[in-house]
Amino acid sequence: MYRYDTYDQTLVDERVAQFKDQMDRYLAGRLGDEEFRPLRLQNGLYIQRHAPMLRIAIPYGMLSAVQLRAMAAISRRYDRSYGHFTTRQNLQLNWPKLEDVPAILAELAQVEMHAIQTSGNCIRNTTTDQFAGIAEDETVDPRPWCELIRQWSTLHPEFAYLPRKFKIAVTGASADRAAIQVHDIGIRLNRADDGSVKATILAGGGLGRTPMVGDIVREDLDWQHLLTYLDAIVRVYNQWGRRDNKYKARIKILVKALGIEEFRRRVEEEWAHLKDGPETLTDSAVTKATSYFPEPERREVSAEAIEAYEALRRENRAFARFVTNNVVGHKVPGYKAVTLSLKRRELAPGDVTADQMDAVADLAEQYGFGELRVTHEQNLVLSDVPVDELETLWKALEELGMANPTVGTLADMICCPGGDFCSLANAKSIPIAQALQDRFEDLDFLYDLGPLDLNISGCMNACGHHHVGNIGILGVDKKGQEFYQVSLGGRSDDNATLGKILGPSFNAEDMPNVIDKVLQVYVEQRLEDEVFVDTYHRIGMKPFKERVYA
Amino acid sequence: MTSARELTDQRQGGVIRQNQLVSEDAWQVVRLDEDGNLTSYQQPALLPLAEWQALVAAGEGSDHLAPWLASDTELTPELGKALVDAPLLAVDFPNFNDGRGYTIARLMRERFGYQGEIRAIGDVLVDQLHYMSRCGISAFALRDDQYVEDALHALSSFSVSYQTGVDQKTPLFARR
């Protein structure tokens, strides 16, 4: 995991002092609301429905046990003893006091954390595959590259006042688990025949009001040029992105308006000036960044231990269910990555209590070299668990309520905070998630349905990524009343596709029945082993529409 | 970490250059009126780019006339080269949220080699000065309600930066 040196620490400390000063000036009345707004947003501070909200950066989702414990302490001292993991792999506190935020940032800085650029019209937290570095299908570990991008984008002087927010995602695996096609910039890393790293750069994807799948701007970019190429893209966007209408200000609108050829031409023209300039990456820079992500010192897991684990899987049905759904393969034999489910009825999707944070920090030290990852599906991952320790880990997770064996199923829904917390929301999303979890709690039914992404957003800003849910639910407001629109067929994998709207929206009470009817059509029509989204794309919207609106 | 400071009420507005308030600065920013005409002015004056170019083309340019660039100015190679001899260059921030001026300043410094003063005008706020200075802006005409004391403090907020700027030609990854 990346560790700060004196430069990183100095920068974050100076940022804390800067924000303290800005807050003092705001509270003293010499910094107006409008002027303070972008400053607080670029420090993660929102003014929300009930209270301020603080979004803490977790760069590319990597989190240490020490950091998680610090957040537990912060949530106890300054908030209501819980936090919320977001689809950007960040952690949000929902109830801090405005005047406490400088102190919170100071405490975060002590564990190499901050809230820099977690909001605002700037380059946001770069995200990646939660299985980075351990995935069986990975050709390039994206983490050092994400770290280099993090450093490049942090307090970038030219790009702090972009037309709109700007999001970058990176993958180095053959299967895209970072949704790179629906980001402002998506980066796919791969290896050339000579072993060198090459990047395919996409631009202009994104969700929100006008969802789009990104286009390829450049293929086979040599790794040395990664940062200069990003500079070129963002500079083109800064100059030409629309600023007259915030709904048309994202880079996707610019790419579409210019057309990908003209957009590419402008980027390449800009890049011609930047190429081989000072930001050109060097061997030593990459070697240094890579050194922060060493292979952990894994003990060898014996063949007997692996056999015993397989036997346990055969004998213990509950354990087998957990393994099948929440445990994935690892590039090292005898090791697995385990997803800790933050989807259970008692708490909103992605929420975690301070006590759970402390307990999970202990587990990470016991089972995962003191490290965790946050997933964009709002779960946590222990990435290095020997198979002979899986059973005890599973039992510990059961006690914490984090062993729900439903990862990847309908019950593992993505859900934004919605109208319960967010001032932008048009409708509540958490009660919908809970109603669906109540209705579809039967595990055999969930397993029979197979992999299914159900994503819920409380407004068209799409924090719940509803466009790319196989089933998407969007809260809409009609004359002050909350309704829900359903879309089908979205996906965020290699074949990223935006869902299509089923038809007129529904009342909250109707949602379980509506989703049930959608699932009935699938169960009746599917071919053997066909997943929901494939059935939808084979048979189209009509049968679903006929059933739901019958 | 720098310690908290006392906020005192010192003067507001004015031009800052080289970390101090400039006591005498006569450059007047001239904008077009509602009908698109230049308001009357005395030299030294900062004129809208097109008006300044017209005067230069007519042989009426002087050391006391300089252009200001709107945030949507497209810095073509021709324009960039034509601006290099201006005695002063102002970049307008019509709204502090409009970040195009940062790119304009960097391009003038790094691509076209402008050596003179680049001055930020318009909605110039204390908390933008650090980024502006990193992008090569060397003088700041503060908005009238901005405190000079706060501005000078903000300019020294950071002693380190990751990426290159006009102030730092080598990224941190090459200096560690």
Side-chain angles (χ1 to χ4, degrees):
Chain A
M1 179 151 168
Y2 187 69
R3 296 302 311 267
Y4 285 7
D5 65 11
T6 54
Y7 292 105
D8 304 281
Q9 192 66 50
T10 301
L11 185 131
V12 168
D13 288 345
E14 289 176 346
R15 176 65 157 186
V16 171
Q18 181 197 38
F19 189 65
K20 166 95 172 61
D21 190 64
Q22 290 168 341
M23 179 71 88
D24 287 348
R25 286 188 284 126
Y26 173 69
L27 294 174
R30 59 204 271 176
L31 187 55
D33 280 329
E34 198 200 340
E35 288 81 4
F36 184 51
R37 189 171 180 276
L39 306 179
R40 65 172 165 76
L41 289 177
Q42 295 203 18
N43 274 290
L45 177 59
Y46 280 76
I47 305 295
Q48 284 289 23
R49 190 163 291 241
H50 304 291
M53 181 271 275
L54 183 67
R55 185 181 291 152
I56 298 162
I58 301 176
Y60 38 95
M62 292 287 293
L63 188 61
S64 74
V66 171
Q67 291 173 329
L68 188 57
R69 227 173 255 124
M71 291 206 285
I74 286 170
S75 78
R76 278 194 194 96
R77 181 158 174 200
Y78 298 102
D79 204 278
R80 298 188 181 176
S81 298
Y82 78 99
H84 172 76
F85 286 107
T86 77
T87 53
R88 272 219 90 56
Q89 304 179 317
N90 292 317
L91 182 90
Q92 291 179 184
L93 296 177
N94 279 322
W95 305 94
K97 286 197 194 69
L98 190 75
E99 55 273 24
D100 283 342
V101 170
I104 296 174
L105 294 177
E107 289 195 20
L108 287 172
Q110 290 176 8
V111 290
E112 305 182 1
M113 296 187 85
H114 58 75
I116 297 171
Q117 291 172 205
T118 53
S119 181
N121 294 335
C122 52
I123 303 172
R124 302 283 188 90
N125 191 26
T126 294
T127 53
T128 190
D129 184 352
Q130 67 263 29
F131 301 123
I134 56 144
E136 292 168 304
D137 66 339
E138 184 173 280
T139 49
V140 180
D141 183 349
R143 293 172 301 172
W145 305 94
C146 287
E147 175 54 31
L148 290 164
I149 293 169
R150 180 193 76 80
Q151 295 187 16
W152 162 80
S153 62
T154 297
L155 308 187
H156 197 300
E158 192 181 337
F159 302 140
Y161 293 91
L162 295 171
R164 281 283 274 145
K165 57 186 170 182
F166 201 89
K167 299 177 178 179
I168 300 175
V170 187
T171 180
S174 60
D176 175 13
R177 288 173 290 267
I180 64 163
Q181 295 184 76
V182 286
H183 277 79
D184 296 296
I185 291 180
I187 300 171
R188 182 183 293 119
L189 302 170
N190 50 54
R191 238 170 246 289
D193 291 340
D194 64 1
S196 64
V197 172
K198 303 270 188 182
T200 297
I201 313 283
L202 292 81
L207 302 178
R209 190 173 289 244
T210 317
M212 289 184 200
V213 171
D215 287 304
I216 291 174
V217 185
R218 192 156 220 294
E219 289 184 281
D220 288 332
L221 181 74
D222 290 324
W223 60 268
Q224 291 89 339
H225 305 308
L226 185 68
L227 297 183
T228 55
Y229 208 83
L230 294 180
D231 256 325
I233 293 178
V234 185
R235 183 174 278 179
V236 165
Y237 170 58
N238 191 36
Q239 288 175 294
W240 304 100
R242 282 181 64 168
R243 289 175 181 269
D244 59 324
N245 180 340
K246 73 179 241 188
Y247 300 116
K248 297 189 173 175
R250 297 289 293 267
I251 194 174
K252 60 195 171 187
I253 305 290
L254 176 67
V255 172
K256 190 158 177 85
L258 294 175
I260 186 64
E261 288 79 20
E262 171 61 15
F263 178 78
R264 182 183 297 123
R265 190 193 66 74
R266 291 190 194 196
V267 169
E268 292 279 330
E269 187 177 287
E270 185 60 43
W271 185 55
H273 295 285
L274 298 168
K275 184 175 184 288
D276 300 322
E279 295 278 3
T280 304
L281 286 169
T282 58
D283 273 318
S284 68
V286 174
T287 303
K288 178 118 202 260
T290 304
S291 73
Y292 286 104
F293 305 93
E295 291 294 328
E297 291 186 16
R298 302 181 182 99
R299 67 178 166 82
E300 197 158 323
V301 181
S302 67
E304 294 77 29
I306 295 174
E307 179 44 45
Y309 153 74
E310 294 294 351
L312 183 67
R313 250 188 108 172
R314 287 191 295 273
E315 290 153 17
N316 185 332
R317 182 152 178 262
F319 179 65
R321 278 197 313 224
F322 173 75
V323 169
T324 302
N325 292 282
N326 297 22
V327 175
V328 299
H330 197 288
K331 66 178 185 184
V332 178
Y335 281 80
K336 299 287 180 187
V338 179
T339 300
L340 283 51
S341 173
L342 303 185
K343 313 296 171 65
R344 61 274 187 237
R345 282 208 59 265
E346 306 77 52
L347 292 169
D351 278 11
V352 56
T353 67
D355 290 347
Q356 286 174 326
M357 287 189 234
D358 277 338
V360 168
D362 292 346
L363 293 179
E365 281 168 349
Q366 204 172 340
Y367 297 99
F369 301 102
E371 285 179 8
L372 287 146
R373 288 93 180 289
V374 183
T375 79
H376 84 270
E377 292 94 356
Q378 302 172 290
N379 290 316
L380 291 169
V381 166
L382 284 172
S383 57
D384 274 286
V385 183
V387 293
D388 52 6
E389 295 179 36
L390 267 178
E391 188 190 12
T392 48
L393 172 62
W394 169 58
K395 286 178 177 162
L397 291 175
E398 291 248 283
E399 282 186 24
L400 289 172
M402 293 183 166
N404 270 3
T406 54
V407 170
T409 71
L410 176 80
D412 187 28
M413 48 194 71
I414 290 176
C415 181
C416 75
D420 291 298
F421 297 102
C422 178
S423 56
L424 300 174
N426 290 322
K428 291 191 166 76
S429 44
I430 293 169
I432 300 296
Q434 287 175 333
L436 294 175
Q437 280 167 336
D438 280 349
R439 176 66 167 265
F440 305 106
E441 62 177 358
D442 181 75
L443 286 179
D444 290 330
F445 180 63
L446 289 174
Y447 296 157
D448 179 56
L449 291 173
L452 206 163
D453 295 339
L454 187 143
N455 298 356
I456 310 173
S457 297
C459 78
M460 64 177 87
N461 290 308
C463 292
H465 297 180
H466 64 279
H467 299 293
V468 289
N470 304 157
I471 299 175
I473 298 174
L474 168 66
V476 292
D477 172 273
K478 283 190 197 167
K479 295 179 184 152
Q481 275 198 292
E482 296 183 1
F483 290 90
Y484 298 87
Q485 192 176 67
V486 174
S487 59
L488 301 178
R491 59 202 303 171
S492 62
D493 57 10
D494 300 318
N495 305 306
T497 307
L498 305 168
K500 286 215 164 52
I501 295 167
L502 177 67
S505 53
F506 308 94
N507 288 316
E509 310 84 78
D510 296 335
M511 287 310 291
N513 282 335
V514 168
I515 301 304
D516 189 37
K517 286 175 185 171
V518 167
L519 297 174
Q520 284 169 20
V521 174
Y522 161 61
V523 168
E524 290 163 17
Q525 301 261 8
R526 67 181 163 187
L527 304 175
E528 196 179 351
D529 292 335
E530 191 176 43
V531 298
F532 175 88
V533 69
D534 291 338
T535 302
Y536 167 82
H537 285 289
R538 181 171 55 79
I539 67 176
M541 183 64 87
K542 199 163 160 242
F544 293 97
K545 201 169 180 126
E546 282 172 357
R547 180 75 54 93
V548 169
Y549 295 99
Chain B
M1 207 187 300
T2 39
S3 57
R5 66 200 173 95
E6 291 280 315
L7 298 179
T8 55
D9 287 335
Q10 293 198 356
R11 66 164 287 183
Q12 293 167 254
V15 173
I16 287 178
R17 184 193 299 128
Q18 288 178 338
N19 284 317
Q20 54 186 338
L21 185 67
V22 178
S23 51
E24 294 292 323
D25 184 272
W27 286 91
Q28 175 195 356
V29 179
V30 184
R31 295 178 187 269
L32 301 179
D33 65 17
E34 285 170 4
D35 300 323
N37 299 316
L38 270 187
T39 51
S40 66
Y41 61 89
Q42 293 181 325
Q43 296 190 17
L46 283 158
L47 304 179
L49 175 62
E51 279 66 24
W52 178 78
Q53 284 179 305
L55 287 174
V56 170
E60 293 172 41
S62 82
D63 286 348
H64 302 286
L65 290 175
W68 61 264
L69 307 181
S71 63
D72 62 356
T73 301
E74 185 181 348
L75 275 185
T76 60
E78 299 71 38
L79 178 58
K81 285 173 199 144
L83 289 172
V84 164
D85 296 325
L88 175 70
L89 208 52
V91 177
D92 187 39
F93 288 80
N95 182 301
F96 69 88
N97 280 322
D98 186 338
R100 289 175 286 191
Y102 298 89
T103 292
I104 290 173
R106 270 195 96 161
L107 290 175
M108 283 311 303
R109 291 286 188 216
E110 294 178 343
R111 189 159 304 165
F112 301 108
Y114 185 72
Q115 299 287 321
E117 173 178 314
I118 299 183
R119 177 180 299 196
I121 63 168
D123 216 16
V124 178
L125 308 185
V126 163
D127 295 285
Q128 276 70 54
L129 302 190
H130 170 68
Y131 288 145
M132 285 178 174
S133 70
R134 292 213 63 213
C135 288
I137 292 175
S138 53
F140 313 91
L142 288 180
R143 200 171 77 182
D144 286 343
D145 63 349
Q146 301 293 296
Y147 289 82
V148 172
E149 170 200 353
D150 295 344
L152 296 176
H153 181 75
L155 276 167
S156 60
S157 302
F158 290 96
S159 62
V160 287
S161 57
Y162 283 120
Q163 60 298 97
T164 57
V166 172
D167 59 333
Q168 174 55 262
K169 303 290 182 199
T170 313
L172 187 57
F173 66 70
R175 287 183 278 127
R176 286 195 205 257

